[in-house]
């Protein structure tokens, strides 16, 4: 493939289109995420229903069995987290603000999650019954659940109308992602049915759009931050791909690197290349720090001890430097005029799946697979990477 690519580069038409592609990655307001795998789109039918999409929340800790709160283990079918809380509020008399939860879960599919409420409302749950909501267990706990108080989620997905050759491709893609990890993009859920949430968020920051609802304002600004993160991550995926597909000289020329910088990147054995000076984080949770000893950090990255941590632009203390900082600046510099209006942070750019399993039912043409993702990662992002196509054109959910 590298030889074919070099031949194409000699063609002026290809060069012009290549330049246009790179401009889109750094300047276009909205873009498609760049896939890491190289296969063609795979034909399969996916539907988010209670049989084919199952999510089970994995808690950060087990209830203590004592305290002033109750931890309810809920099973939901066809309703989102907020709708489930509304049902419980009407039944118990607890106010919506008195409930706590670790993360939002999809309306579609069958989902299991924990929520908390003051224990004084527990007696009102006696004999509770609802066609879309079950209470699987109730345990006492000292604290109210808060956003982020979870380890991650277990997922089960069933694809239908899968022919044998496509089943082989699906298995290979899953095995590769399970072994090497995946680009941890924000999912389509952030960007709205028409994909314009980020653009509206920028309008809010520029003072061109005024909203009375502070939660909507924060949500649109978050979509703007998320899109910038995705654009930066697409750039990093592009760098990782080109490091393997181009000669050292061509790779250095494309990105304006010295030969030593290009060699340092291309020599890394893993797909996703780390950059000197970028910000890394202890995986799956922990402190962030600068990548100074690149060789040592690549070894820890291979052991899944650390990973790359991309910028959520805003008020943030930790800045990338060196080569990592240069590539961050290409994406984030235009947005820095709004930093004072946004809370900045870091998000894992490259994440890892665990407990990956898959099976093919040739008789029914079903391909089923399951896996675990740490919090902050989207199963739909993994699925789109596997299938190489949009799975919910214009859809919107509240997946965590």
């Amino acid at each position: 493939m590298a030889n074919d690519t070099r031949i194409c580069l000699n063609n002026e038409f290809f060069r012009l289109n290549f330049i246009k592609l790179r401009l889109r990655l750094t300047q276009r307001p909205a873009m498609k995420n760049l896939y890491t795998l190289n296969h063609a789109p795979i034909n399969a039918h996916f539907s988010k229903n209670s049989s084919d999409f199952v999510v089970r929340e994995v808690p950060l800790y087990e209830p203590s069995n004592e305290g002033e709160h109750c931890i309810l283990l809920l099973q939901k079918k066809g309703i989102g987290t907020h709708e489930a809380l509304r049902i419980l509020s009407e039944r118990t008399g607890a106010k919506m603000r008195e409930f706590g939860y670790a993360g939002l879960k999809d309306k579609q599919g069958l989902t299991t999650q924990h929520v908390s409420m003051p224990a004084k409302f527990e007696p009102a749950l006696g004999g509770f019954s609802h066609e879309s909501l079950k209470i699987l267990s109730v345990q006492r706990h000292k604290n109210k659940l808060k956003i982020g108080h979870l380890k991650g989620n277990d997922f089960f997905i069933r694809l239908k109308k899968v022919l044998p050759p496509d089943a082989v491709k699906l298995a290979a893609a899953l095995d590769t992602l399970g072994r090497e990890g995946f680009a941890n993009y924000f999912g389509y859920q952030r960007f709205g049915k028409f994909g314009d949430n980020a653009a509206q968020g920028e309008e809010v920051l520029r003072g061109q759009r005024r909203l009375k609802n502070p939660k909507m304002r924060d949500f649109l600004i978050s979509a703007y931050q998320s899109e910038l993160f995705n654009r930066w991550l697409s750039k990093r995926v592009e760098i990782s791909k080109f490091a393997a597909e181009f000669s050292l000289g061509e790779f250095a020329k494309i990105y304006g690197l010295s030969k030593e910088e290009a060699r340092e990147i291309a020599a890394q054995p893993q797909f996703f290349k780390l950059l000197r000076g970028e910000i890394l984080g202890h995986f799956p949770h922990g402190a962030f720090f600068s990548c100074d000893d690149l060789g040592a950090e690549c070894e820890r990255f291979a052991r899944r001890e650390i990973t790359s941590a991309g910028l959520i632009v805003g008020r943030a203390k930790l800045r990338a430097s060196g080569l990592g900082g240069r590539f961050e600046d290409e994406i984030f510099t235009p947005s820095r005029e709004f930093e004072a209006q946004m809370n900045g942070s870091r998000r894992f750019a490259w994440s890892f799946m665990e407990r990956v399993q898959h099976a093919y039912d040739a008789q029914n043409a079903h391909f089923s697979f399951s896996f675990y993702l740490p919090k902050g990662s989207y199963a739909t992002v993994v699925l789109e990477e596997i299938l190489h196509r949009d799975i919910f054109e214009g859809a919107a959910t509240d997946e965590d």
Side-chain angles (χ1 to χ4, degrees), residues 197-262:
N197 285 355
Q200 292 183 50
E202 184 173 359
E203 290 174 359
V204 170
L205 291 167
R206 292 189 181 280
Q208 298 169 345
R209 177 184 292 268
R210 299 188 183 280
L211 298 171
K212 294 181 180 180
N213 187 332
K215 289 187 177 181
M216 179 57 68
R217 181 184 186 277
D218 292 345
F219 176 74
L220 293 177
I221 291 174
S222 174
Y224 172 73
Q225 294 171 299
S226 300
E227 186 184 79
L228 289 173
F229 175 92
N230 279 6
R231 288 168 61 191
W232 168 84
L233 183 50
S234 280
K235 179 77 166 200
R236 291 294 301 273
V237 170
E238 178 200 82
I239 291 170
S240 299
K241 280 178 170 284
F242 285 10
E245 294 174 355
F246 289 81
S247 71
L248 199 63
E250 290 166 342
F251 179 58
K253 189 176 293 185
I254 289 169
Y255 296 106
L257 305 171
S258 68
K259 284 195 173 180
E260 180 56 35
E261 289 173 328

